[in-house]
Amino acid sequence: MSDPRSADEPRSPLAHRVPDLGALELLLAVARLGSLGRAAREVGITQPAASSRIRSMERMLGVALVERSPRGSRLTDAGALVTDWARRVVEAAEAFDAGTQALRGRRDSRLRVAASMTIAEYLLPGWLIALRGLLPGTAVSLLAGNSAAVADRLRAGEADLGFVEGLDVPAGLDGAVIGHDRLAVVVAPSHAWARRRAPLSPAELAATPLILRERGSGTRQVLDAALAGHGGLAAPLLELASTTAVKAAVVSGAGPSVLSELAVGEELAARRLVEIPVAVRLRRDLRAVWPLGQRPAGPARELLSLTRG
Amino acid sequence: MSDPRSADEPRSPLAHRVPDLGALELLLAVARLGSLGRAAREVGITQPAASSRIRSMERMLGVALVERSPRGSRLTDAGALVTDWARRVVEAAEAFDAGTQALRGRRDSRLRVAASMTIAEYLLPGWLIALRGLLPGTAVSLLAGNSAAVADRLRAGEADLGFVEGLDVPAGLDGAVIGHDRLAVVVAPSHAWARRRAPLSPAELAATPLILRERGSGTRQVLDAALAGHGGLAAPLLELASTTAVKAAVVSGAGPSVLSELAVGEELAARRLVEIPVAVRLRRDLRAVWPLGQRPAGPARELLSLTRG
DNA sequence: ATGAGGGCATAAGCTGGGTTTATGAGCGAT
DNA sequence: ATCGCTCATAAACCCAGCTTATGCCCTCAT
């Protein structure tokens, strides 16, 4: 079946209405340093280039961002707001960079990490940025896969530290719980459940056909276990290959789903999805794991310590 | 005093290691449509342009993202991960776009919003994106200022809907609580408090000199009120002009501060800051406000309904 | 089999945004 | 006055990314 999309078609390319990353970084530098020239030097361009870049950004946005004076430049009120929004874009880009850098890391990296998809996707980039603050220059390589693949890598000595979500520690490994992941029942805002007042009962949830990832996913295991005593999970409404596909289907109103809160944070904040309270505990542990008896040392130890509150 | 920065100097420009927004959007389109050519059409370029753009992105990242075949293109495993990180960058860019678009909105917009800085910064862009889903084409203008300025605008009939955080509803206005904002005690990970096990007592917090925004900020009011019964707030360690400046000082280890959880979410996730539990309730209401007796209608009503869980 | 159609790659040429260098002008401190 | 900082303007340049034109590969239907 083709992608069931609804009403986000007629949107002109974002890149024409949002300055590029270089310009946003420059703006942050101006905000921090209080001078176009100094900001230019920091980002490695000349002062006229910075001047023109900021000016063209102001033209693009239709708002004056910086107040120039012969003694320096300060942000306007609007500029301060824009800068804060810009900071969030740059931070997302930094996470992107940290992630992709680890992804292309070679086997001789000083720290080889293996992680489940969910953790690699949502948590690891942040940890890597933090790690860079503590141990600058540490080359990190990342391999993402399911729990079994992570366990294999560790047992084979091809990774120094692993991260998995799930109900138990894989055989042959030691581990420590570093956090929890709550599963959330979500629907599109237009769904009838979004107007409920009472929490969903476990039996109701179990009896409702859901949009789920295909059998074998960690999410589905937890859901199965939690609802075993309530009649068991109904046959899925849809089975899709990726979390992204599931989210897209839910957003478009195809039905309810149960997804990690990590995966739906943005959608909930932007009200593209609504969470429905449910009277059952849907949690799973997030674990750091390593080969039995080999407590993490060096960079692995450092990363591990970062991941615990 | 100059900016006390520590160890994030030798970082080459992000823009050289992260593809531009156009390329990221293209990658998302490829992921969704399963074909370079179709993705190219969607973003308004030709197929060879898309081909070359994806290729140069793969060269930049050093990772194969797309598996080409004569029947279409699918993401590689690494490509799926990269695409998810890219999605977060694009979403941040969309929030940026929604915000700046409102910021330059003229007075004749169909919906004129006035909001406090914190709300304008962290919540409003998401609401505007959601609103665009419900009422496409609605021109929104945004004015950001403190509570008094928001109230003035509404009373003068120059805004249709306002958002403020604070302890009470400004005189002459009606309002509804739409959510809460918790204040968090935060320190740098290197600070001694980060290794505490017991929660902070209110008296301890009150007695400790903090890094705060200048007198008059909403955050400071709430803090003053909450600690009034515990000996009153100690003289500040530092008084800075913007939330950003406060955060930078705390991150660099200058001392503890108390900030909105909205303002420190990213920093906590990336472990640049650590939250210290404290045995006192530090909450303030987030309110939508409007002129007495004039219940919001039309787009204002729609936006209001979006902001309540 | 064989041709049509969809999908991707390559090549050549163009264009424009962003860059640099060079210069000038405003303001403050010495 | 004069230096030293700031930012703006002008002219020349360069390259990333675009388009158009073409070719190859594979699959599917006739």
Side-chain angles (χ1 to χ4, degrees):
Chain A
M1 85 214 68
S2 76
D3 192 353
R5 310 177 63 235
S6 44
D8 44 348
E9 305 291 357
R11 212 146 76 217
S12 81
L14 205 49
H16 290 169
R17 284 171 300 146
V18 178
D20 61 64
L21 284 171
L24 298 182
E25 275 193 292
L26 175 63
L27 179 62
L28 296 186
V30 171
R32 187 153 36 76
L33 301 175
S35 150
L36 291 188
R38 258 184 305 222
R41 230 167 300 134
E42 177 167 279
V43 306
I45 60 178
T46 59
Q47 172 267 319
S51 184
S52 120
R53 221 157 153 67
I54 294 284
R55 182 172 298 283
S56 84
M57 184 156 45
E58 289 177 319
R59 204 160 11 91
M60 169 186 272
L61 302 180
V63 174
L65 300 174
V66 307
E67 209 168 327
R68 291 108 167 134
S69 88
R71 309 170 43 197
S73 295
R74 293 221 57 71
L75 294 179
T76 62
D77 289 352
L81 212 42
V82 170
T83 301
D84 284 314
W85 293 327
R87 186 171 294 111
R88 298 174 80 79
V89 178
V90 170
E91 278 166 0
E94 271 167 0
F96 180 102
D97 175 47
T100 56
Q101 216 165 315
L103 210 51
R104 79 163 157 274
R106 301 309 302 136
R107 315 222 155 195
D108 57 349
S109 298
R110 299 207 15 226
L111 173 57
R112 301 160 304 168
V113 176
S116 73
M117 289 302 283
T118 303
I119 291 177
E121 208 175 308
Y122 296 102
L123 298 177
L124 204 70
W127 296 341
L128 294 180
I129 291 175
L131 185 66
R132 187 167 59 193
L134 290 174
L135 301 172
T138 305
V140 179
S141 79
L142 163 65
L143 184 122
N146 58 30
S147 293
V150 170
D152 286 346
R153 289 280 164 164
L154 286 167
R155 280 187 295 249
E158 291 170 3
D160 305 308
L161 187 61
F163 294 98
V164 296
E165 67 257 358
L167 298 171
D168 42 20
V169 179
L173 300 183
D174 229 346
V177 174
I178 58 166
H180 303 278
D181 180 25
R182 198 171 50 79
L183 299 184
V185 178
V186 293
V187 297
S190 59
H191 192 280
W193 281 2
R195 277 176 292 281
R196 281 180 69 104
R197 305 206 55 88
L200 221 50
S201 78
E204 263 178 303
L205 179 60
T208 305
L210 300 173
I211 303 172
L212 292 177
R213 294 204 37 193
E214 39 208 18
R215 183 165 297 280
S217 88
T219 305
R220 194 153 162 185
Q221 280 175 25
V222 175
L223 195 56
D224 263 327
L227 297 183
H230 301 277
L233 203 50
L237 180 61
L238 275 178
E239 283 191 336
L240 300 173
S242 74
T243 301
T244 305
V246 173
K247 281 200 285 187
V250 177
V251 169
S252 78
S257 183
V258 177
L259 290 164
S260 160
E261 63 176 346
L262 291 171
V264 295
E266 301 274 345
E267 281 77 8
L268 292 176
R271 312 276 171 191
R272 286 194 298 277
L273 290 178
V274 177
E275 176 173 359
I276 311 300
V278 56
V280 65
R281 201 180 149 83
L282 293 174
R283 288 186 138 217
R284 54 181 175 176
D285 294 327
L286 303 181
R287 282 196 175 78
V289 292
W290 54 86
L292 260 179
Q294 302 182 19
R295 289 204 71 80
R301 204 181 96 85
E302 212 67 42
L303 176 57
L304 179 56
S305 76
L306 275 176
T307 62
R308 317 203 240 205
Chain B
M1 86 214 64
S2 78
D3 192 352
R5 310 177 64 231
S6 44
D8 43 349
E9 306 292 356
R11 211 146 76 216
S12 81
L14 205 49
H16 290 169
R17 283 170 302 147
V18 178
D20 61 66
L21 283 171
L24 297 181
E25 275 192 291
L26 176 63
L27 180 62
L28 295 186
V30 171
R32 188 154 35 76
L33 301 174
S35 151
L36 291 187
R38 260 188 303 237
R41 230 167 300 134
E42 178 169 278
V43 307
I45 60 178
T46 59
Q47 172 267 318
S51 185
S52 120
R53 220 157 153 66
I54 295 282
R55 183 171 298 283
S56 83
M57 184 156 46
E58 288 176 318
R59 204 159 12 90
M60 170 186 273
L61 302 181
V63 174
L65 301 173
V66 170
E67 208 168 330
R68 290 104 167 139
S69 89
R71 308 168 44 194
S73 295
R74 293 220 58 70
L75 294 178
T76 61
D77 289 352
L81 212 42
V82 170
T83 301
D84 284 313
W85 294 326
R87 186 172 295 109
R88 299 174 80 80
V89 178
V90 171
E91 279 165 1
E94 273 167 0
F96 180 101
D97 176 47
T100 56
Q101 217 165 314
L103 212 50
R104 78 163 158 274
R106 301 309 302 135
R107 314 221 156 195
D108 57 347
S109 297
R110 300 209 12 229
L111 174 56
R112 300 161 305 168
V113 176
S116 72
M117 288 302 282
T118 303
I119 292 177
E121 205 176 310
Y122 296 102
L123 299 175
L124 205 71
W127 295 342
L128 293 180
I129 290 175
L131 184 67
R132 187 168 60 192
L134 291 174
L135 300 173
T138 305
V140 179
S141 79
L142 164 63
L143 185 122
N146 59 28
S147 292
V150 169
D152 286 346
R153 288 280 163 164
L154 286 168
R155 281 189 294 250
E158 291 169 5
D160 305 308
L161 187 61
F163 295 97
V164 297
E165 67 258 356
L167 297 171
D168 42 20
V169 179
L173 300 181
D174 229 347
V177 173
I178 58 167
H180 303 279
D181 179 25
R182 198 171 51 79
L183 299 185
V185 178
V186 293
V187 297
S190 58
H191 191 279
W193 282 2
R195 278 176 291 280
R196 281 179 69 103
R197 305 206 56 87
L200 219 51
S201 76
E204 263 179 304
L205 179 60
T208 305
L210 300 172
I211 302 172
L212 292 177
R213 293 201 39 192
E214 40 207 20
R215 184 163 296 279
S217 90
T219 303
R220 194 151 163 185
Q221 280 174 25
V222 174
L223 195 57
D224 262 327
L227 297 183
H230 300 277
L233 202 51
L237 181 61
L238 274 178
E239 283 191 338
L240 300 172
S242 75
T243 301
T244 305
V246 172
K247 279 201 286 187
V250 177
V251 168
S252 80
S257 181
V258 177
L259 289 164
S260 160
E261 64 177 345
L262 292 170
V264 295
E266 299 274 344
E267 280 79 7
L268 292 177
R271 310 277 170 191
R272 285 195 297 277
L273 289 178
V274 177
E275 175 173 359
I276 310 301
V278 57
V280 64
R281 201 180 148 84
L282 293 174
R283 289 188 135 214
R284 54 182 176 175
D285 295 326
L286 303 181
R287 282 195 175 79
V289 291
W290 54 86
L292 261 179
Q294 302 182 19
R295 286 202 74 77
R301 204 180 96 83
E302 211 68 42
L303 176 57
L304 181 55
S305 77
L306 275 175
T307 63
R308 317 204 240 205

